[in-house]
Amino acid sequence: MLPADCSLRLVAELRAALDACGEQQRQLDQSLRVCRRLLRAWEPTRPAAPEPTPGPEPNEEDPSPACAPSLQDLTELELLTQALEKAVRVRKGISKVGEGDKAPSLKPRTVATPPATTTSVPPQAPGQAGNGTSETRSPRGIRQPKVPARSLPEHRLLSTRERTSLGRGARATRPSLGDQQVTPSVTPLVPEAFTLKEKGTLLRLPMAFWKAASQNAHLWAQIDSTQASDSANAAARTRFLLKMQAAVSCQACGSLRTGGRLKELPGKSQHGMTREALGSAAWATVLAPTDCVQEYRCLLLLEGLQATVGQCLHWLQELRKGGADAAWSPQPLLYSSTQELQTLAALRLRVAMLDQQLHLEKVLMDELLPLVRTQRPCCAAVCRAVHSLLCNGGQHFPTVLQDEPAD
Amino acid sequence: MGRRRRPAGRAAGTGTGARALPEAIAALCRTLPAGPGPETFRRAKFDLPEAAPALWRLLSCVLSPRSEADTTGSLTREAQVRLVKSAMRSQGYPRPALFQLPEDGSQGSRELLLALSWLLARGPLIEQLLARTRVRLGDEMPVCECEDLACGRASPGLPTPSKDADSCVDVRHVQWLMGKLRFRWRSLISSHQEHCALLSKIHKYTQGCHSDRNLGHLSVAETELLRDPEGGQQLLQMLEFENVRLEAALEWRRLEQVFWQWMDTVLGASPPDSPNAGSQPTFLPSIPERVAGELELVSRELQALQKELQEAVEVRRASWEAQVRGQGPEWSAEMRASKEAVGQELAALWQAWEREGSLAQPHRPNRLVRSEAGAPPGQGLWATEAIGALRSKEACLEAVLCWLQGQSQQELAKLAGALPGVIWIPPHGR
């Protein structure tokens, strides 16, 4: 058993690490859910591409008779596509059952549809009732090249077969398959199975959002640039801080009130500030030591400051080599393949993990080595455990053999 | 006093003080997250107690650590007061009056106003607060491990729980925790890999959709808003709200000088103070400007300073050595004590400097953009470069870890060798 303070520290450190990991995992799981949902079939809320037909919200309209033939063609194409998709999915096995997000071949989610069709629509919607997404007139959104029209009965047959085979799966079967009267007059209803894979390139961001987003980017860029040329304000701030410091009276030799931020002071107007800062605040305290002790302390302080300033200079050198501007607005991080992205993510995590391991190693060495040194006689089991912790991060154990001397 | 729109042609900060000050304060209130009204500032100058609660709330919101920023609204007044005091102490606030304010948070509005100004003067506080709650439109991936690290350490300031018999654990429990941690890392890494694959797909499938040609494709957040209009509305509202705060921040920057002039009067109005017994040295503000010419100037300043210090040291040393000759044996104890005290002060100085030095360079957020290899990056950063930098960091850390483990192993081998009647076989490879 480890002593109390040692135990507390080790457990605290490990628990903090575990909690951080757990929190990251939780957030990542949430992102994963969102991503997976996006890659399945869903319905975009806007027309997928700018079209010549007017009206951004065509959902409520009845299709004009003039459009009917092309709508029909496109709808039939959609039906065929969906049916084929479903066939592929069913063949692979229904794995994601029960979520209700997976688009059934006909997604009659159209709520505000022309009344004539409502009767045939709802029964075919397993699990769709919960979806509140608005529908879209998908045929309008897709300006596909003309496709030869197919005979309707064939489609219905296909869909029927499709639905039957689906029904054999875990999904609730719709008993009245004959109900699905997808007649041409009802074509506007038929929602498509939209997947990013096929039609992602047709999406467009809404105007209002795009305006706000570009305004946002513009403002952040302005914030960056005003920071870069901010010397007048910087002078005012520095003066205020010094005044505040001066209002707190300096005592004798014990404390020094300037610091290593000198490198941050920009601009010619700051030179006087630097001098002043050091001159007034600092030297006043070291000029008049009253006795031997204070004399010594002065000396030590000055030597220490000398070392600090040397370090500052060194740091400054490094900084000038780097030359990166601090900025608040995001910069693009360009990648060209999934592999690259994965490598980047893996490496970053590995570096974080290594850093954590390093920290834990130091903590363990701090706590465990003294114990092992001082415990006499040293128990072999404890030694073995400590060795595994310290030398392998707990992954491997040394082997310990009892070697009784032969009598 | 209203929030008058300034005419566009007016030069920055040179408006008459009487007109510009209310606008400056109003801009400040609009940009701060839990911003009090401008009245609060005026009341605080005269140390009126009505202004205190709002300022305590504001400071506790501003100072709370990143992960808990949302919950400060639910803290009690006393909890807010404690949080503010401890945070200001750890940042090295020089005025002790703040720490003497009563816990019920009913007084001290002027002191709080000074504390807020101190925070504003020291660093890019407004920008940091805005960045903390920034609406993330793109898919972001940090290229450094800083954020991960900040969360994964046990905070040193935690009060140690009482030590009782139950808190003793077996070393096997520690081993178990380590194993659990390793497992969690593995899961995390594999989840990240899946995430990357999905992101890559989404980016590929939406190529050419984005209204911004430089970005080219949609991010998850943008695609999501197309899928879910309600969520999209919320996102839009958050964006618009942030735009308002950003505009207020820019206006604040234009009018800031007037505020500092006013704060001088506030400072003048408050009684002078004696420093804390253990107060830390404060530091001049961090302004993240990295213009090469100015660095050069600062560097020359520092060199001149170093020369001055060198001369001062020589003089002091000579005079001290003359003095110390006459001292007796008890002097060495005094010397040691002095050395320790000064050493501590210098260490505190150095530590705070280092900590702020690393914080002074906030890492820029990165938005993932899928792009053809070989295209010019423009303003951006290629993943391959980031990968290269990370690889060298990885190698460095691995080397240090190996060395540390080697040290432990040597020591343990020695100890184990001293065990009677036992043969010690290290695991394979070591």
Side-chain angles (χ1 to χ4, degrees):
Chain A
M1 294 296 281
L2 301 169
D5 51 357
C6 169
S7 311
L8 280 171
R9 184 168 175 215
L10 291 180
V11 171
E13 289 281 349
L14 283 166
R15 287 228 172 270
L18 282 166
D19 289 340
C21 252
E23 178 60 32
Q24 265 201 44
Q25 183 73 50
R26 214 179 46 81
Q27 287 174 355
L28 192 56
D29 285 340
Q30 202 172 11
S31 305
L32 280 172
R33 269 199 295 275
V34 172
C35 287
R36 284 187 202 126
R37 192 171 53 194
L38 283 176
L39 283 168
R40 290 197 284 267
W42 47 277
E43 289 200 24
T45 58
R46 295 285 170 144
E51 334 124 345
T53 52
E57 304 299 332
N59 309 320
E60 318 299 325
E61 304 166 31
D62 285 333
S64 60
C67 301
S70 60
L71 273 172
Q72 176 183 349
D73 288 341
L74 293 167
T75 318
E76 288 164 1
L77 172 70
E78 281 311 313
L79 281 175
L80 179 59
T81 318
Q82 292 158 33
L84 290 170
E85 277 176 19
K86 261 299 175 273
V88 168
R89 262 177 267 156
V90 164
R91 255 179 251 125
K92 280 191 198 157
I94 302 179
S95 53
K96 293 172 191 170
V97 172
E99 284 220 43
D101 277 349
K102 212 160 164 61
S105 52
L106 281 180
K107 282 189 304 174
R109 264 191 254 155
T110 57
V111 178
T113 55
T117 57
T118 37
T119 49
S120 58
V121 160
Q124 286 137 17
Q128 291 306 320
N131 282 351
T133 55
S134 58
E135 64 286 5
T136 190
R137 287 281 171 253
S138 51
R140 284 179 181 244
I142 315 298
R143 285 284 164 248
Q144 308 236 354
K146 276 293 182 199
V147 200
R150 289 175 155 274
S151 60
L152 202 49
E154 196 181 300
H155 274 254
R156 257 190 289 164
L157 196 57
L158 206 64
S159 315
T160 315
R161 230 187 297 132
E162 192 53 44
R163 210 166 288 104
T164 321
S165 61
L166 254 191
R168 281 194 217 105
R171 289 191 182 275
T173 333
R174 296 296 149 200
S176 51
L177 292 176
D179 277 358
Q180 45 110 9
Q181 304 291 328
V182 191
T183 56
S185 59
V186 197
T187 49
L189 278 193
V190 178
E192 53 155 7
F194 175 89
T195 53
L196 266 189
K197 184 165 183 177
E198 290 149 18
K199 297 167 206 131
T201 49
L202 302 169
L203 290 172
R204 291 289 179 270
L205 289 171
M207 203 59 209
F209 172 80
W210 170 234
K211 278 199 198 132
S214 53
Q215 171 78 342
N216 187 270
H218 177 66
L219 286 169
W220 275 113
Q222 271 190 302
I223 294 247
D224 277 353
S225 62
T226 47
Q227 271 224 301
S229 53
D230 204 19
S231 18
N233 283 341
R237 279 182 234 133
T238 316
R239 267 197 299 275
F240 176 74
L241 282 178
L242 285 174
K243 280 210 181 103
M244 193 186 257
Q245 201 58 59
V248 182
S249 57
C250 285
Q251 300 286 7
C253 214
S255 46
L256 205 52
R257 307 261 180 210
T258 67
R261 295 327 305 269
L262 302 172
K263 67 189 175 303
E264 308 284 9
L265 293 179
K268 296 184 175 61
S269 62
Q270 298 305 316
H271 284 192
M273 199 65 59
T274 319
R275 283 303 196 194
E276 185 189 59
L278 297 167
S280 61
W283 295 157
T285 65
V286 303
L287 276 180
T290 50
D291 68 349
C292 209
V293 177
Q294 290 202 348
E295 180 84 55
Y296 186 58
R297 295 189 95 185
C298 279
L299 178 61
L300 289 175
L301 265 174
L302 286 172
E303 286 178 338
L305 274 183
Q306 202 184 3
T308 310
V309 170
Q311 290 276 17
C312 280
L313 275 169
H314 175 71
W315 203 84
L316 208 60
Q317 300 267 10
E318 308 260 281
L319 210 61
R320 282 156 76 183
K321 278 186 261 164
D325 281 278
W328 304 96
S329 50
Q331 66 177 352
L333 175 59
L334 305 163
Y335 72 98
S336 52
S337 68
T338 316
Q339 187 61 35
E340 212 173 274
L341 193 59
Q342 285 176 327
T343 313
L344 180 62
L347 262 180
R348 181 183 66 89
L349 287 171
R350 176 135 176 85
V351 168
M353 188 174 71
L354 275 174
D355 202 280
Q356 190 184 71
Q357 268 185 293
L358 209 53
H359 170 72
L360 286 173
E361 180 76 20
K362 287 183 194 156
V363 169
L364 284 169
M365 282 171 78
D366 247 355
E367 297 288 334
L368 293 176
L369 281 180
L371 286 181
V372 173
R373 277 182 214 130
T374 55
Q375 271 181 16
R376 281 279 179 268
C378 183
C379 168
V382 171
C383 246
R384 185 166 168 269
V386 171
H387 187 282
S388 84
L389 276 174
L390 285 178
C391 305
N392 298 102
Q395 286 188 291
H396 302 290
F397 288 81
T399 317
V400 177
L401 288 178
Q402 290 277 12
D403 183 26
E404 300 296 333
D407 291 314
Chain B
M1 192 214 76
R3 297 176 185 185
R4 290 184 289 269
R5 290 224 156 268
R6 288 170 65 245
R10 203 150 118 195
T14 56
T16 57
R19 274 247 299 248
L21 178 66
E23 286 177 13
I25 294 185
L28 181 62
C29 294
R30 279 205 306 282
T31 187
L32 286 172
E39 269 304 303
T40 313
F41 281 78
R42 248 215 301 276
R43 289 195 187 124
K45 174 174 178 176
F46 300 107
D47 207 15
L48 299 176
E50 303 91 75
L55 286 171
W56 281 116
R57 192 174 56 237
L58 173 63
L59 280 173
S60 69
C61 181
V62 160
L63 290 168
S64 63
R66 186 189 297 228
S67 51
E68 302 161 20
D70 304 324
T71 59
T72 44
S74 53
L75 285 179
T76 63
R77 183 74 48 73
E78 284 79 18
Q80 287 175 356
V81 170
R82 275 196 300 271
L83 187 148
V84 169
K85 284 188 183 177
S86 80
M88 292 303 281
R89 191 172 279 119
S90 65
Q91 298 224 14
Y93 184 62
R95 294 176 60 95
L98 177 73
F99 307 109
Q100 293 157 5
L101 290 173
E103 290 258 313
D104 62 350
S106 58
Q107 288 177 39
S109 51
R110 182 159 55 204
E111 196 56 45
L112 292 173
L113 180 60
L114 287 171
L116 178 68
S117 310
W118 186 79
L119 288 172
L120 280 171
R122 273 172 97 236
L125 182 70
I126 303 282
E127 287 81 1
Q128 282 167 353
L129 292 172
L130 283 167
R132 201 158 73 174
T133 55
R134 187 170 53 92
V135 172
R136 280 144 222 270
L137 293 173
D139 298 314
E140 302 201 348
M141 175 170 293
V143 293
C144 67
E145 70 285 2
C146 300
E147 279 198 28
D148 300 328
L149 293 185
C151 312
R153 300 286 164 90
S155 30
L158 275 178
T160 47
S162 59
K163 302 177 193 170
D164 50 9
D166 291 342
S167 52
C168 287
V169 296
D170 197 14
V171 68
R172 283 172 294 182
H173 183 73
V174 178
Q175 286 174 323
W176 178 74
L177 287 173
M178 289 280 279
K180 198 169 167 188
L181 184 63
R182 230 182 13 259
F183 178 70
R184 281 205 185 167
W185 271 111
R186 270 210 292 267
S187 314
L188 195 62
I189 290 177
S190 75
S191 294
H192 264 286
Q193 299 289 287
E194 186 188 350
H195 191 229
C196 288
L198 294 180
L199 280 179
S200 177
K201 269 193 192 155
I202 292 178
H203 294 172
K204 195 164 73 170
Y205 297 158
T206 57
Q207 278 287 3
C209 297
H210 207 284
S211 318
D212 179 354
R213 290 289 152 230
N214 295 330
L215 295 173
H217 59 73
L218 301 178
S219 68
V220 168
E222 288 161 343
T223 317
E224 180 70 12
L225 85 90
L226 288 173
R227 186 194 73 87
D228 174 21
E230 283 171 26
Q233 272 304 111
Q234 279 178 4
L235 191 64
L236 184 60
Q237 277 172 2
M238 277 167 43
L239 256 184
E240 284 167 351
F241 185 59
E242 183 172 299
N243 288 350
V244 166
R245 279 182 68 192
L246 285 169
E247 279 165 359
L250 287 168
E251 191 173 337
W252 158 253
R253 287 276 165 234
R254 283 196 294 269
L255 299 172
E256 210 182 316
Q257 296 221 39
V258 183
F259 178 80
W260 295 118
Q261 288 167 12
W262 180 66
M263 281 311 297
D264 279 346
T265 66
V266 175
L267 191 56
S270 37
D273 241 327
S274 52
N276 282 333
S279 69
Q280 310 240 357
T282 197
F283 298 96
L284 299 170
S286 76
I287 303 130
E289 298 178 37
R290 302 276 183 268
V291 185
E294 288 172 342
L295 288 183
E296 172 66 35
L297 294 169
V298 177
S299 155
R300 268 193 255 139
E301 275 278 344
L302 280 177
Q303 281 167 356
L305 181 62
Q306 202 178 28
K307 218 182 274 182
E308 262 196 45
L309 279 169
Q310 207 171 2
E311 290 165 11
V313 163
E314 282 167 15
V315 164
R316 288 260 157 255
R317 184 161 275 282
S319 98
W320 177 74
E321 273 170 8
Q323 281 204 24
V324 85
R325 252 167 240 144
Q327 296 293 338
E330 73 280 3
W331 175 239
S332 55
E334 296 254 18
M335 268 176 67
R336 235 193 334 273
S338 300
K339 234 184 188 163
E340 254 175 43
V342 171
Q344 262 176 20
E345 244 182 83
L346 287 173
L349 191 102
W350 182 244
Q351 234 176 18
W353 181 83
E354 246 189 341
R355 183 178 62 224
E356 292 197 37
S358 60
L359 288 175
Q361 253 183 324
H363 294 279
R364 211 171 160 181
N366 295 307
R367 174 176 176 149
L368 285 174
V369 173
R370 194 190 172 102
S371 166
E372 294 304 314
Q379 278 245 320
L381 174 69
W382 270 112
T384 38
E385 292 170 23
I387 288 176
L390 281 171
R391 273 202 214 284
S392 53
K393 229 190 232 184
E394 181 197 16
C396 195
L397 286 172
E398 267 176 359
V400 176
L401 187 63
C402 256
W403 181 79
L404 272 181
Q405 285 177 339
Q407 297 288 96
S408 318
Q409 203 217 351
Q410 277 177 17
E411 175 146 359
L412 285 171
K414 254 190 307 192
L415 290 168
L419 290 171
V422 152
I423 299 179
W424 181 262
I425 306 173
H428 174 68
R430 289 207 153 260

